[in-house]
Amino acid sequence: MPGSTLNLTLLTSQEITNLKWFLWRTGSPSPSPILLQAGTRVSLTSSRGRVLLSIVNTTYKWAGDYICCFEAQGFRWELHQMVKVSLRATDVAQLPDQLSISCASSPGFQLSCCIPSEHLGYTASWSPGEDSEASSFNTSDSQCFVLAVRRCPAADTTYTCDLQSPGLSPLRVPVSVTIIQGGDTTCPEDSSAGAWNVTKAGHVAQAPCPGNKTGTVKRTCRPDGVWGPIHSSCTDTGLLALLYRARLLRAGQGWPDEEVPQILAQLPDQVVVVTSPSDLLALVNTIKVLAKIVASARIQLNGSALEALLKTTDKVLDMDASSLWTTARAQISAVGSNLLLAVETLARSLCPQDHPFSFGLPNVQLQTQLLRPTPPSDYRVSFSTQPMLQAHIPKHSLAPLGHNGTNVSVTSLMLRKLDHFLPSNYGQGLGDSLYATPGLVLAISIMAGGQVFNKGEVIMDFGDTNGTPHCVFWDHNLFQGKGGWSDAGCQVQAASASPTTHCICRHLTAFSILMSRHTVPKNTLLELLGQVGLGASIVALLVCLGVYRLVWRFVVQSKVAYLRHAALLNVVLCLLAADTCFLGASLLPPGPHSPLCLATAFLCHFLYLATFFWMLAQALMLAHQLLFVFHQLSKHRVLSLMVFLGYLCPMGFAGVTLGLYLPRGQYLGEGACWLDRKGGVFYTFVGPVLAIMGVNGLVLAMAVLKLLRPSLSEGPQVEKRQALLGVIKALLILTPIFGLTWVLGLATLLEEVSIVPHYLFTALNTSQGVFILLFGCLMDRKVQEALRKRFCRSQPPNSTISLNLPLVSRGKVGSVCMRVTVAGSKVPRISAAQAGGQVRMYKWIQPHQKESWQ
């Protein structure tokens, strides 16, 4: 039965030698039997008087004459056993496997089922067979049984291809035929992208592969009667033959030492026929299977076999990325990772007599060196790339390998473009962001005594790079075997004598560097602008604190003014502390392992958030004063709520962010004591800031409309109105400026943004203290009056007093308005009379004291 385990047992009572198993496959063109040895399906076990050959998951490829050859009692013996294996349904290719047809346009149709040529002993019959004719024909690799139906059936019908062979179980392969009735939704005939007949909605149309290819082309008719995309599984017959040969070789059929170099030698000629993603996958899978055979059987390859592999790899890396690689990766995401591991495995399997070996092509360069039992001082290698790629292994990493007289060989392989075909998977510590790679992958491996040696220090120089690079290696075990970049065991070390960056890794595998796609190249002018702006911001905030120290008791005489200036004072304190921390963070060693760097990043996150939450508190206080005129809260109650909003809410945001992203290694940015700008952690800062700016904008719009058209009952008093206008003016200027700043901050995260937004963002962001000093403090009228009173005592300003006084004349009540301008400290006694009325004014005793009028 197919899929079952085949066991052949040899029982002997005598000692036997030179035991070998062979298989002469049914229908095989090979002139000699195939050697059977241990593989993924074949196992050979022997005990006293008993030898067992076991083959698991058998298919028709394992049917044939099994031969057991051995020597005993001075004679050579051969024992034969014929084994038959039935075909499986997956071994039969029916075209089509389903069909929808319109009897009006196509009164007849044709069905076929094809079996491998190894099983020519099968016969076929079709049912139902009315109004039809059966025939058969042979191709180079299959035998096909055809049913030509001359008259379309009246209803949906399932046709069956019945396959029978003596001594084997019969096999029934169904083909469903759906008849399109009047009123059914259909996809129209389409000859623009092949010959696609009218097909019923919800069904899949099929077509044969063109030329020397195997498989089918399918196209789905959607429920709305619109054709879907074309999906092709057509693969070149020659590529499939090499893949099947390699798989059988790994399973246990054949001579690996001879056949692996033979298959490798044929690959360069087969690359030219790769025209579809299926062809590319078949080629990569063939190389992958050969690498596994070489690794498990410890086969040593000669130089010509290795050259054939490198030529094939060079052409594969030059294939069109959009039409071949993108679709192939969509089907098997790890295809690039599989190619890397396979080429790396095969490249280090060069036989010792062919060392040293050097071979170079545009996309592949290989250099090997046999160090003999006594390694030299250092191993150094360089590749002719732009910029030059260099690497060396220190002597202390090679010294432990030369003991016991074992040969030590080092293989260095450079692959260009392959990093672009690897999945965008990043291990812990690299975050969720997208990175760019330089287009180079360097694979270094050491063989000592036939064993792969993975431990050792290697120092690499990938040339000058923009931004802050990550030294990484490709870990094939990450992401459930799909592979991913990891920085474990690797670190960046700045070179002392050149602008390049050295990568030091303490293990051997495939290396590269990652650079953030959002990284701005290092710009001295931009860094200087940021430092000068932060310095100016800190000075402006200190000046603001000094101004408040001078005028505080003069500007907080009402509740609204007190709450407004208390909020602004906390904004100044938070922003001053945040700017100081941010400026000092550049002096600390970056990285998650630095407690000071981590604490500084957390404080900056909290303090900058607190700055904006205090602005939100100021805006909400303004809204409360305007909307709830007759339900005012006490000053201490409002201040407590503002402290809660201004400090506890940002503390919660910052604490939750730290707890979520620090364990994932995504909290700190690269090379700085600040949030990672490439991951989601940065949006926990920008998101609340932009939300606060949006709320402030809505409050400002409401406040302006409210003060422009106040009602008689809800209009604020003159003094309170002036205080509220001060809040509105400050927020009206600061909110758009701060909002624009962080809109530009988000723009700098875009992948291909120009340098202009970076300059604008840096200038605005580092000048926030200056804006607060100018528009939040110095432009306030009360602050200006208090400063004039404090510094201009000798020349007090003139005071204009407007009086609206009652007047009684001949029983009628009227009024008279008098305006008196007073210059100096004393106010003279004034009297006035009009139409019998009288006004008296007692003198103003001292300036700034309460006046009394009668």
Side-chain angles (χ1 to χ4, degrees):
M1 290 293 292
S4 59
T5 301
L6 171 65
N7 292 318
L8 296 178
T9 305
L10 172 65
L11 300 176
T12 63
S13 58
Q14 303 290 331
E15 182 179 356
I16 61 175
T17 57
N18 296 328
L19 176 65
K20 291 183 180 180
W21 293 88
F22 295 91
L23 169 62
W24 207 315
R25 285 212 316 253
T26 302
S28 173
S30 175
S32 59
I34 302 171
L35 176 69
L36 298 179
Q37 52 187 342
T40 56
R41 295 193 184 184
V42 177
S43 61
L44 299 170
T45 57
S46 60
S47 59
R48 187 176 184 132
R50 184 175 181 269
V51 179
L52 174 64
L53 169 68
S54 181
I55 303 174
V56 299
N57 194 20
T58 56
T59 64
Y60 72 92
K61 294 287 187 180
W62 299 91
D65 184 15
Y66 284 82
I67 307 170
C68 179
C69 299
F70 59 92
E71 294 180 1
Q73 298 178 343
F75 296 96
R76 180 167 182 82
W77 301 79
E78 284 188 6
L79 301 179
H80 293 254
Q81 176 64 53
M82 181 60 68
V83 175
K84 292 185 177 182
V85 181
S86 302
L87 290 174
R88 295 180 294 186
T90 54
D91 299 326
V92 181
Q94 64 266 46
L95 185 66
D97 54 11
Q98 62 170 320
L99 176 67
S100 66
I101 189 170
S102 173
C103 295
S105 58
S106 302
F109 53 88
Q110 184 173 287
L111 306 176
S112 65
C113 64
C114 301
I115 62 174
S117 57
E118 286 93 334
H119 278 275
L120 296 179
Y122 270 91
T123 59
S125 60
W126 288 89
S127 61
E130 296 82 5
D131 298 322
S132 59
E133 180 181 354
S135 61
S136 65
F137 65 91
N138 296 332
T139 64
S140 59
D141 59 351
S142 62
Q143 180 182 16
C144 296
F145 303 98
V146 181
L147 178 68
V149 180
R150 291 189 292 266
R151 188 170 64 181
C152 188
D156 297 348
T157 306
T158 298
Y159 290 83
T160 304
C161 178
D162 295 309
L163 298 171
Q164 294 185 352
S165 181
L168 296 177
S169 302
L171 182 63
R172 297 172 58 87
V173 180
V175 180
S176 61
V177 176
T178 302
I179 305 302
I180 299 175
Q181 306 292 343
D184 288 344
T185 303
T186 60
C187 290
E189 183 177 356
D190 183 13
S191 58
S192 61
W196 301 102
N197 296 323
V198 178
T199 302
K200 187 176 180 179
H203 285 66
V204 179
Q206 299 180 25
C209 291
N212 190 30
K213 289 183 177 290
T214 301
T216 57
V217 183
K218 296 184 178 182
R219 194 178 189 188
T220 302
C221 180
R222 295 171 178 168
D224 56 355
V226 177
W227 284 110
I230 298 175
H231 298 282
S232 173
S233 63
C234 298
T235 309
D236 183 79
T237 305
L239 285 172
L240 280 180
L242 289 181
L243 176 58
Y244 293 153
R245 183 180 174 187
R247 286 176 175 173
L248 287 175
L249 193 61
R250 185 170 180 240
Q253 289 189 24
W255 291 264
D257 291 337
E258 299 177 6
E259 295 189 54
V260 168
Q262 292 175 4
I263 298 176
L264 287 174
Q266 297 180 52
L267 290 181
D269 296 331
Q270 293 295 327
V271 176
V272 296
V273 302
V274 175
T275 58
S276 69
S278 298
D279 291 338
L280 177 60
L281 290 175
L283 180 61
V284 173
N285 285 337
T286 301
I287 301 174
K288 174 185 174 182
V289 174
L290 294 178
K292 291 182 177 180
I293 297 171
V294 169
S296 60
R298 297 186 180 181
I299 299 173
Q300 294 182 339
L301 302 176
N302 55 34
S304 60
L306 212 51
E307 286 185 10
L309 168 70
L310 298 178
K311 290 178 182 178
T312 303
T313 306
D314 179 72
K315 294 179 181 179
V316 168
L317 295 178
D318 243 353
M319 291 179 181
D320 185 71
S322 59
S323 62
L324 294 178
W325 275 102
T326 302
T327 309
R329 290 175 60 189
Q331 298 178 25
I332 301 179
S333 60
V335 57
S337 180
N338 294 338
L339 179 62
L340 172 61
L341 180 60
V343 175
E344 184 182 358
T345 302
L346 293 169
R348 62 170 175 249
S349 303
L350 185 66
C351 56
Q353 56 268 28
D354 284 347
H355 287 280
F357 181 85
S358 179
F359 190 80
L361 292 170
N363 299 315
V364 181
Q365 294 183 35
L366 177 67
Q367 296 186 36
T368 70
Q369 184 175 347
L370 189 62
L371 304 182
R372 300 300 177 187
T374 304
S377 57
D378 280 353
Y379 169 78
R380 296 183 179 273
V381 65
S382 62
F383 294 95
S384 56
T385 58
Q386 290 296 331
M388 181 177 290
L389 176 60
Q390 305 177 64
H392 83 272
I393 302 176
K395 181 179 180 179
H396 63 80
S397 294
L398 298 172
L401 304 178
H403 64 280
N404 299 330
T406 57
N407 287 329
V408 178
S409 64
V410 182
T411 301
S412 299
L413 174 68
M414 187 283 298
L415 298 170
R416 194 193 303 270
K417 300 181 183 179
L418 179 59
D419 51 338
H420 301 156
F421 305 139
L422 296 172
S424 299
N425 298 334
Y426 307 109
Q428 187 175 5
L430 295 175
D432 299 327
S433 300
L434 293 178
Y435 293 89
T437 50
L440 301 177
V441 173
L442 174 62
I444 299 179
S445 56
I446 298 178
M447 297 287 290
Q451 299 287 337
V452 180
F453 184 76
N454 292 322
K455 294 181 180 180
E457 184 178 89
V458 57
I459 304 173
M460 296 158 288
D461 184 358
F462 283 86
D464 191 14
T465 56
N466 292 326
T468 303
H470 289 274
C471 294
V472 293
F473 73 98
W474 187 257
D475 190 344
H476 295 276
N477 297 320
L478 291 179
F479 298 95
Q480 292 80 42
K482 297 179 182 178
W485 294 110
S486 174
D487 59 357
C490 295
Q491 64 183 17
V492 180
Q493 183 180 38
S496 58
S498 67
T500 62
T501 300
H502 287 170
C503 291
I504 301 178
C505 294
R506 291 171 178 81
H507 48 74
L508 301 176
T509 180
F511 304 98
S512 188
I513 56 174
L514 298 180
M515 295 170 292
S516 171
R517 294 184 180 178
H518 309 311
T519 299
V520 182
K522 288 186 177 180
N523 190 307
T524 305
L525 181 60
L526 194 64
E527 293 179 356
L528 180 62
L529 177 63
Q531 293 174 357
V532 172
L534 280 176
S537 181
I538 291 174
V539 171
L541 294 171
L542 290 174
V543 172
C544 190
L545 291 178
V547 170
Y548 270 132
R549 175 68 179 83
L550 294 174
V551 305
W552 183 258
R553 67 188 183 93
F554 299 107
V555 299
V556 295
Q557 294 179 355
S558 67
K559 184 181 79 169
V560 174
Y562 176 83
L563 294 175
R564 179 262 170 119
H565 289 289
L568 190 60
L569 179 62
N570 280 277
V571 169
V572 171
L573 291 173
C574 292
L575 188 56
L576 176 62
D579 284 348
T580 305
C581 284
F582 198 85
L583 192 61
S586 60
L587 305 176
L588 300 176
H593 302 296
S594 173
L596 285 177
C597 181
L598 189 62
T600 301
F602 175 79
L603 283 177
C604 288
H605 188 198
F606 162 65
L607 291 170
Y608 278 125
L609 277 180
T611 300
F612 289 94
F613 270 94
W614 270 105
M615 291 184 65
L616 176 64
Q618 194 176 35
L620 294 180
M621 180 272 295
L622 171 65
H624 179 268
Q625 293 293 325
L626 291 175
L627 294 177
F628 302 98
V629 178
F630 301 107
H631 298 84
Q632 296 291 317
L633 298 175
S634 66
K635 180 172 68 175
H636 297 293
R637 177 71 62 84
V638 175
L639 187 61
S640 299
L641 293 175
M642 293 173 71
V643 170
F644 175 84
L645 182 62
Y647 287 116
L648 293 185
C649 286
M651 178 64 74
F653 267 99
V656 170
T657 301
L658 181 70
L660 285 178
Y661 288 95
L662 183 62
R664 306 178 190 174
Q666 304 172 9
Y667 187 73
L668 292 179
E670 52 184 36
C673 299
W674 178 233
L675 303 180
D676 186 2
R677 292 168 60 87
K678 303 180 294 296
V681 62
F682 191 65
Y683 295 96
T684 63
F685 172 68
V686 179
V689 167
L690 293 180
I692 289 173
M693 294 298 100
V695 172
N696 286 4
L698 294 176
V699 171
L700 283 174
M702 180 270 296
V704 171
L705 293 176
K706 196 77 173 175
L707 290 180
L708 287 177
R709 297 187 299 177
S711 64
L712 294 176
S713 60
E714 296 182 3
Q717 302 170 359
V718 175
E719 184 178 4
K720 178 179 178 182
R721 179 188 177 92
Q722 293 176 350
L724 292 176
L725 281 174
V727 180
I728 294 173
K729 289 178 181 178
L731 290 178
L732 200 59
I733 297 175
L734 294 178
T735 296
I737 292 176
F738 285 17
L740 175 62
T741 299
W742 288 105
V743 168
L744 289 171
L746 284 179
T748 60
L749 301 179
L750 298 178
E751 188 168 324
E752 297 181 355
V753 69
S754 69
I755 195 67
V756 175
H758 291 276
Y759 277 103
L760 293 176
F761 170 71
T762 302
L764 291 176
N765 188 42
T766 56
S767 304
Q768 291 177 353
V770 178
F771 295 139
I772 291 176
L773 172 64
L774 294 177
F775 304 115
C777 180
L778 295 182
M779 287 188 63
D780 185 86
R781 187 177 62 83
K782 290 287 186 181
V783 173
Q784 295 174 0
E785 291 179 357
L787 289 174
R788 283 198 297 265
K789 289 175 183 178
R790 189 170 186 88
F791 295 106
C792 304
R793 291 179 181 274
S794 59
Q795 297 179 355
N798 292 340
S799 301
T800 300
I801 305 173
S802 297
L803 305 176
N804 190 8
L805 304 175
L807 178 68
V808 180
S809 176
R810 295 182 182 181
K812 295 182 180 180
V813 179
S815 64
V816 60
C817 179
M818 301 182 63
R819 177 168 294 180
V820 181
T821 300
V822 181
S825 60
K826 300 293 185 177
V827 179
R829 183 183 302 274
I830 300 174
S831 63
Q834 178 179 342
Q838 181 175 306
V839 176
R840 293 194 184 98
M841 181 178 71
Y842 296 101
K843 69 178 180 179
W844 192 355
I845 305 301
Q846 291 291 340
H848 315 306
Q849 292 184 354
K850 184 177 181 181
E851 62 269 25
S852 176
W853 299 88
Q854 283 189 353

